[in-house]
């Protein structure tokens, strides 16, 4: 067996300890004679798995009792519709456009009401986070929407927007559990787990209770009503059982590592290794303004498309996988999520330094 360093943006690297434990428990989950994949989601054994996962998740993020945690299917993209359907009572909401995922959410919201562009960084290929201190937010807006960490462009909000009293809704798919966060600053925090948490197939929503209501937009499917899911503790129908189980193992792993404060420290250390190199390199350049850089997704270029291609091919041959940038932007991108060990980032930087020596004209 040989494992590569996997810099994929998602689905992405998982902690080796978690994969090993899952392998050990695959055929016989803790003496019950079957795999987690094979058991009823209504069984006592599974009830314990999902309840423990939720309890550990709440503990990691210090989630107050007036927020519900929902384990849902349909990915983050399904929430682009579910959020306006559940929240747009005035049929109006403000969106800040910081990249492709924010834009997709904005476009989807337009199917249900008036989605207003409050600010955008499209003018400079989303390489920064716009000033959000005084946005044109109006009294009749139901919420203000952000994508907190922009997976494709590698930016992250370092301060949350001034929402002028409106509820903040945030897509945190690619920074979920990478550092502590104050959930009380948000109406809804949600993220697909396949970036920084677990395998694909689930999105986790953290929703303040007063936003879970019956008066949703007419035509909202039963499955997309937050109330349906909340009243049934994410077990209205069959949930993504195995994904929840693996996420539960990841939550235990995070707790064993010292929780999110410790993860933040490690993530800052890892990102600094890469950013420091980029800042001193004569060949490679980071594409994001310094103050808005993400700790999770680090895009970079050489400025020469042919050389970028060569880099991607040669890095792959050296056991550094999935460094190609998003198909819409090109260049390179290293996603260095929680489960990426420091040694992986060190090896990447070593490889980059060597590549620079050989290719700098
Ligand atoms: C990947 C990603 C999505 C889309 O997630 P799906 O689960 O594939 O729908 C949405 N938002 C962000 C920030 C992402 O990184």
């Amino acid at each position: 067996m040989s494992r590569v360093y996997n810099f994929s943006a998602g689905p992405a690297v998982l902690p080796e300890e978690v994969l090993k434990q899952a392998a050990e428990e695959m055929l016989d989950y803790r003496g019950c004679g079957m795999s987690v994949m094979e058991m009823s989601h209504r069984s006592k054994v599974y009830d314990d798995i999902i309840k423990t996962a939720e309890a550990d998740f709440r503990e990691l993020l210090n989630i107050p009792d007036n927020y519900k945690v929902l384990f849902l299917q349909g990915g983050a993209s399904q929430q682009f519709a579910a959020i306006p359907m559940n929240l747009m009572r005035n049929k109006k909401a403000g969106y800040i456009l910081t990249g492709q995922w924010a834009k997709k959410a904005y476009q989807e919201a337009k199917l249900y009401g008036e989605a207003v562009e409050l600010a955008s960084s499209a003018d400079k290929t989303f390489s920064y986070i716009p000033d959000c201190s005084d946005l044109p937010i109006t009294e009749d807006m139901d919420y203000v929407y952000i994508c907190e960490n922009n997976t494709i462009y590698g930016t992250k909000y370092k301060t949350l927007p001034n929402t002028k009293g409106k509820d903040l809704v945030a897509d945190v798919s690619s920074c979920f559990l990478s550092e502590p966060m104050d959930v009380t600053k948000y109406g809804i925090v949600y993220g697909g787990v396949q970036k920084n948490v677990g395998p694909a197939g689930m999105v986790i929503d953290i929703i303040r209770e007063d936003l879970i209501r019956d008066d949703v937009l007419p035509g909202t499917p039963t499955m997309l009503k937050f109330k349906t899911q909340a009243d049934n503790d994410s077990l209205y129908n069959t949930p993504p059982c195995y994904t929840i189980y693996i996420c539960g193992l990841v939550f235990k792993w995070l707790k064993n590592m010292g929780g999110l404060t410790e993860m933040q420290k490690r993530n800052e250390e890892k990102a600094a290794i890469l950013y420091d190199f980029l800042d001193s390199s004569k060949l490679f350049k980071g594409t994001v303004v310094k103050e808005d850089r993400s700790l999770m997704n680090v895009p970079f270029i050489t400025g020469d498309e042919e050389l970028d291609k060569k880099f991607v091919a040669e890095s792959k041959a050296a056991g550094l996988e999935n460094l190609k940038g998003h198909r819409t932007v090109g260049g390179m991108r290293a996603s260095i999520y929680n489960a990426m060990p420091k040694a992986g980032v060190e090896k990447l930087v070593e490889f980059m330094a060597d590549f620079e020596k050989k290719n700098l004209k």
Side-chain angles (χ1 to χ4, degrees), residues 124-332:
K124 289 182 184 155
T125 349
F126 301 114
S127 57
Y128 69 103
I129 298 290
D131 177 8
C132 296
S133 56
D134 185 19
L135 300 166
I137 295 163
T138 53
E139 201 34 57
D140 56 349
M141 285 182 181
D142 292 305
Y143 59 90
V144 171
Y145 183 100
I146 62 168
C147 178
E148 192 158 329
N149 185 80
N150 294 279
T151 324
I152 295 171
Y153 297 95
T155 58
K156 170 152 197 296
Y157 286 80
K158 302 294 159 81
T159 27
L160 293 175
N162 172 6
T163 61
K164 304 187 176 172
K166 296 295 164 195
D167 288 319
L168 181 63
V169 175
D171 174 356
V172 298
S173 294
S174 46
C175 59
F176 227 175
L177 303 180
S178 64
E179 58 185 37
M181 70 191 293
D182 181 358
V183 170
T184 64
K185 294 201 166 115
Y186 305 79
I188 299 181
V189 178
Y190 80 96
V193 299
Q194 76 275 26
K195 307 290 161 65
N196 197 32
V197 183
M202 181 163 76
V203 54
I204 304 179
D205 279 35
I206 307 167
I207 312 180
R208 210 180 58 231
E209 262 166 6
D210 60 288
L211 297 176
I212 300 173
R213 293 163 43 159
D214 258 322
D215 55 336
V216 296
L217 294 190
T220 299
T222 309
M223 278 286 290
L224 293 191
K225 240 175 109 168
F226 293 147
K227 189 150 192 326
T228 307
Q229 302 291 353
D231 286 350
N232 291 281
D233 295 322
S234 306
L235 287 162
Y236 172 72
N237 69 331
T238 320
C241 298
Y242 197 76
T243 294
I244 291 171
Y245 155 70
I246 298 286
C247 287
L249 296 184
V250 173
F251 302 153
K252 288 274 186 238
W253 178 80
L254 287 167
K255 283 174 66 178
N256 287 339
M257 300 283 281
L260 301 190
T261 308
E262 176 61 24
M263 277 329 291
Q264 176 173 24
K265 205 176 112 215
R266 287 170 190 239
N267 287 329
E268 281 169 352
E269 246 175 66
K270 282 187 290 174
I273 295 170
L274 187 45
Y275 284 125
D276 287 349
F277 174 77
L278 287 171
D279 289 343
S280 65
S281 170
K282 292 193 174 64
L283 182 66
F284 297 100
K285 277 182 290 295
T287 55
V288 170
V289 302
K290 274 191 189 178
E291 57 276 21
D292 299 329
R293 285 168 163 176
S294 165
L295 293 182
M296 297 281 102
N297 311 99
V298 183
F300 57 94
I301 52 169
T302 63
D304 173 344
E305 272 180 43
E306 285 310 307
L307 209 50
D308 287 354
K309 263 193 211 146
K310 190 176 173 204
F311 178 84
V312 170
E314 289 184 6
S315 58
K316 184 175 162 69
L320 305 164
E321 291 250 7
N322 290 314
L323 283 163
K324 196 169 184 292
H326 191 267
R327 59 196 153 77
T328 59
V329 294
M332 282 75 72

Side-chain angles (χ1 to χ4, degrees), residues 31-73:
C32 76
M34 61 177 93
S35 168
V36 175
M37 266 185 236
E38 301 170 299
M39 62 180 60
S40 165
H41 59 295
R42 308 278 178 208
S43 64
K44 171 80 194 64
V45 182
Y46 193 76
D47 190 60
D48 189 50
I49 291 174
I50 190 169
K51 289 223 169 82
T52 305
E54 180 179 337
D56 287 337
F57 179 75
R58 284 185 169 274
E59 189 183 325
L60 282 166
L61 279 167
N62 196 17
I63 300 173
D65 287 344
N66 65 326
Y67 282 76
K68 281 269 186 205
V69 170
L70 303 179
F71 297 138
L72 307 172
Q73 299 190 54

